[in-house]
Structure formats: structure tokens, C-alpha cells
Amino acid sequence: MANKRILVTGGAGFIGSHLCQYLLKQGDEVLCLDNYFTGSKENVRHLIGHPGFELIRHDVVEPILCEVDQIYNLACPASPIHYQYNPIKTTKTSVIGALNMLGLAKRVKATVLQASTSEVYGDPFVHPQREDYWGNVNPNGLRSCYDEGKRCAEALFFDYHRQHGLNMKVARIFNTYGPRMHPQDGRVVSNFIMQALTGQNITVYGNGLQTRSFCYVDDLVEALVRLMNTPDDFVGPVNLGNPGEFTILELANKVIELTGSQSKIIYKPLPQDDPVQRRPDISLAKEKLNWSPFVQLEEGLKRTITYFKTLR
Ligand code: NAD
Ligand code: UDP
Ligand code: UDP
């Protein structure tokens, strides 16, 4: 598995930076491509100067030529406030970005992995979500640029596979958290920890009874690398996440407890199309990747809180 040349788009982002680090550690050469919309050089500063590491400032909406063996396509803003900031650009990034990475993979005969999302299930009627569920997605709401962008990218991946015999993998990533999350990205884990550490009110949207499943970033990265290196006839889509399911209110209380904060919980309106429940069925990942998440919520939150303390 060593000594491959690997392109990671969105490599200076939260998940991407951990992935670059993992790949370098196992002896691969890494091309980290990013336009720094939500990522930053700070996330990969510790990797700059490593002989196997290269940084490329580039936007995936534009074509790119390079020679690589594998491509992890992670470039795309992932938090609702970031992907809704310029929704047209989000769709372009998802769809044209995927197309360019598929074109590149086709030309150089690389394997390409798409970072898809549990958002393709929308506000799901089937619980927990299995890969064969087609989802319940609003095609023209505030979240559609992201949800439909990712769904179209999946369609492109499967069409390149069927039409051109391209080697590809589709990972459906469920809510992932950990160090190097953007402190202002508005996602629930980063928001609650920042609020708790700065003594602000903890903002629970809606009644807080909606659920999510939270996967620690190290577990997710391990799964992405395992998926990339499965035999060519396994393409997914495969759910990657931690099946532990918590209400947002439980998360708020856990963060308050672990930070020892005096912050109080306040309630704010629920954003449009906010899914009521979400939990991955990870039987397929267990079977095909021989993988299960290892880090439980309390331990992962402790590590994330330690990171956020260093930012202050
Ligand atoms: P992130 O915002 O930290 O990372 C995304 C990276 O992509 C950033 O570095 C950003 O600057 C870069 N980027 C955005 N648009 C780009 C463009 N047009 N060209 C080049 N680079 C661009 O988010 P993340 O949480 O690390 O997410 C990484 C990937 O995983 C995304 O594709 C996201 O949709 C997917 N995902 C994440 C989660 C999660 O919970 N974190 C869940 C499901 C899917
Ligand atoms: N592409 C790229 N790098 C490459 C090869 C292709 O960025 O090394 C882009 C190309 O510009 C196109 C997309 O990938 O926009 C799809 O390429 P493909 O060859 O599949 O389709 P075509 O160029 O025929 O539209
Ligand atoms: N949420 C919340 N308070 C916040 C941020 C988010 O209650 O300060 C809720 C949000 O409404 C959603 C859940 O937490 O129900 C997860 O939100 P996030 O944006 O992290 O991810 P996604 O909705 O994309 O799963």
C-alpha cells in the first residue's frame, strides 16, 4: 500500500488534513489541493516541509492536470452556514468538482473516492439509514445545493464507473467531529464547545429531541483509507459513521459536563429542512472494510475540547 501518489482535494479542511497526515505517515506522497474557502494552511502547517507533501492552491471547479494513483475528493464546504453562504458555488463545487476529478481519474487511470454524505438521505423515513434507501430530499430548499449537489456527484461517479469502467468508491459520511473543525462553522459540536468554553448560552435549535450520530475523525479517516483500498469490484455506496445516536439536548448536556461550564441551554428556531433523526446502519462497512468506529462520544469530545482550548 506504500509509496502511492495521492491527491486529496479539500486537503486543508477538517477531515482532509487528518487524511493527509495519515497517508504521509503510511509512506505515501500527498498532493493536498484546496482553495482555502473553509480550510486553512494552519490545518496542514505541521505537514509543510515533509518530503512527501505538496500543497496546491486550486479550485476544483477548474480542470487540473497531474499524475496520481488515487484521488480522495473531499473539496466542498460541509457545514450549513458555509455551504449556504454561496449556494450556487456549492453546487458547482460538488458537481463540476466531481466531474473534473472523474475526468482526471479516467485520464490517469486512478481510483477516485467521493466524500458523499448522509444528507443524501435528507429527512429520512427509514431509520437507521441503509445504503439501499433512496432518501427524502427537498429538491429546492436551503439545503438542496449541498444535498442535491452530492446526489448528482454520486450519479456521476456511478455513470463514469458504468460507462468508462472507472475505478471509484462512494463513501456516505455521517456527522464527523474532532480537532481542526472550524470554530465558527456553526456545526453543533463546534458551536456547543465554543459556547461552553466562552461562557455563552448553548443554542439548541428546535426542542433538541432531533438526533444525530457522531463519528470521531480518526475513525472516519481509517474507514476512508480502507474503502479506497478495497477490491475494484466494491464501489459502495457505503455508510461511514458511528451508530451511537444522541439527541442534541443530550449532546448539549454532555458538553456542559465535560467542560465544567456555567453556560445555560437556550432554545432557538429549528432551521428549514433540519432532519429529525439520523443514524447509520454500518453493516456493509463492517463486512467489506472490517471496520467499526472505536472512539466513543465522551472520549472524542474530550479530545476535541482540548483542541478548542488551544485556539483561545
Ligand atoms: P471542511 O469545510 O473543513 O473541508 C472542505 C475543504 O474543501 C476545505 O478545506 C475547503 O477550503 C475546501 N474547498 C471547498 N470548496 C472548494 C473548491 N471549490 N475547490 C477546492 N477546495 C475547496 O469540511 P469537512 O468536514 O472536512 O468535509 C470534507 C468533506 O467531507 C466534504 O466533501 C463534506 O461534504 C464531506 N462530509 C463531511 C461530513 C462531516 O460531518 N464533517 C459529513 C458528511 C460529508
Ligand atoms: N479533466 C481534468 N483533468 C484531467 C482530465 C480531465 O480536470 O486530467 C476535466 C475535463 O476538463 C472535463 C472533466 O474533467 O471538464 C471531464 O473529463 P472527461 O474527459 O470525462 O470529459 P470531456 O472532457 O470529454 O468532457
Ligand atoms: N444545532 C443546534 N445548535 C447549534 C447548531 C446545530 O441545535 O448551535 C442542531 C441542528 O439544528 C441539527 C443538529 O444540531 O439538528 C446538527 O447540526 P449540524 O449543522 O452540526 O449538522 P447537520 O444538520 O448537517 O447534521
Side-chain angles (χ1 to χ4, degrees):
M1 220 149 76
N3 294 325
K4 289 193 175 62
R5 187 182 294 163
I6 303 178
L7 175 64
V8 180
T9 78
F14 156 54
I15 297 175
S17 64
H18 289 273
L19 177 61
C20 290
Q21 185 176 324
Y22 182 107
L23 296 171
L24 284 172
K25 208 167 175 185
Q26 74 174 16
D28 294 316
E29 242 181 85
V30 173
L31 276 66
C32 169
L33 180 158
D34 210 292
N35 71 349
Y36 305 118
F37 174 48
T38 52
S40 73
K41 268 195 198 163
E42 215 39 60
N43 286 339
V44 290
R45 192 165 297 284
H46 60 297
L47 306 178
I48 296 173
H50 187 295
F53 187 67
E54 213 172 309
L55 255 185
I56 309 169
R57 179 189 288 266
H58 181 81
D59 193 309
V60 286
V61 168
E62 302 300 330
I64 185 165
L65 296 178
C66 57
E67 314 306 313
V68 290
D69 304 302
Q70 295 181 337
I71 304 166
Y72 290 86
N73 187 33
L74 271 59
C76 187
S79 83
I81 57 166
H82 286 144
Y83 70 65
Q84 288 169 19
Y85 172 75
N86 183 347
I88 297 170
K89 173 73 189 200
T90 299
T91 300
K92 283 188 188 171
T93 295
S94 262
V95 177
I96 303 174
L99 190 66
N100 285 334
M101 290 309 116
L102 288 161
L104 171 63
K106 189 180 82 178
R107 184 179 63 81
V108 301
K109 298 187 172 50
T111 303
V112 55
L113 181 150
Q114 168 68 358
S116 190
T117 169
S118 53
E119 291 284 329
V120 301
Y121 300 120
D123 193 0
F125 291 127
V126 171
H127 191 76
Q129 291 78 55
R130 285 167 44 95
E131 290 85 350
D132 55 9
Y133 176 50
W134 290 354
N136 172 40
V137 176
N138 179 348
N140 52 29
L142 296 177
R143 293 174 87 105
S144 308
C145 58
Y146 185 73
D147 301 8
E148 298 290 18
K150 290 284 189 179
R151 286 170 70 96
C152 183
E154 281 203 18
L156 278 170
F157 268 68
F158 277 82
D159 285 334
Y160 267 76
H161 177 64
R162 285 184 287 250
Q163 208 170 316
H164 295 303
L166 187 94
N167 288 331
M168 66 82 177
K169 318 280 177 189
V170 172
R172 289 192 180 145
I173 302 171
F174 283 64
N175 298 57
T176 300
Y177 70 100
R180 299 196 211 119
M181 285 185 93
H182 194 298
Q184 264 89 43
D185 70 3
R187 283 190 266 195
V188 69
V189 173
S190 40
N191 258 16
F192 285 2
I193 294 177
M194 288 302 289
Q195 289 163 343
L197 291 179
T198 55
Q200 298 170 66
N201 292 327
I202 308 277
T203 53
V204 168
Y205 302 158
N207 60 12
L209 298 181
Q210 70 272 36
T211 67
R212 292 294 185 276
S213 300
F214 300 100
C215 186
Y216 188 68
V217 64
D218 288 357
D219 283 333
L220 196 266
V221 165
E222 176 68 38
L224 289 176
V225 175
R226 284 186 188 218
L227 173 59
M228 175 63 102
N229 294 290
T230 50
D232 291 347
D233 62 357
F234 181 67
V235 297
V238 58
N239 289 338
L240 302 179
N242 189 322
E245 184 179 2
F246 297 87
T247 67
I248 294 307
L249 213 44
E250 284 172 327
L251 178 74
N253 285 315
K254 185 84 21 244
V255 169
I256 291 173
E257 177 197 322
L258 294 175
T259 50
S261 173
Q262 301 296 313
S263 294
K264 297 276 171 283
I265 291 174
I266 58 161
Y267 293 87
K268 296 249 179 148
L270 195 65
Q272 188 193 32
D273 296 336
D274 200 281
V276 175
Q277 51 182 6
R278 199 187 275 152
R279 170 157 62 99
D281 178 325
I282 59 165
S283 324
L284 187 64
K286 280 185 179 158
E287 181 199 331
K288 298 287 186 183
L289 314 181
N290 190 23
W291 169 88
S292 310
F294 185 70
V295 181
Q296 291 315 313
L297 185 63
E298 181 155 329
E299 174 58 26
L301 284 177
K302 283 184 187 160
R303 295 186 202 173
T304 311
I305 289 165
T306 303
Y307 167 77
F308 276 102
K309 281 183 177 165
T310 67
L311 296 182
R312 299 174 55 224

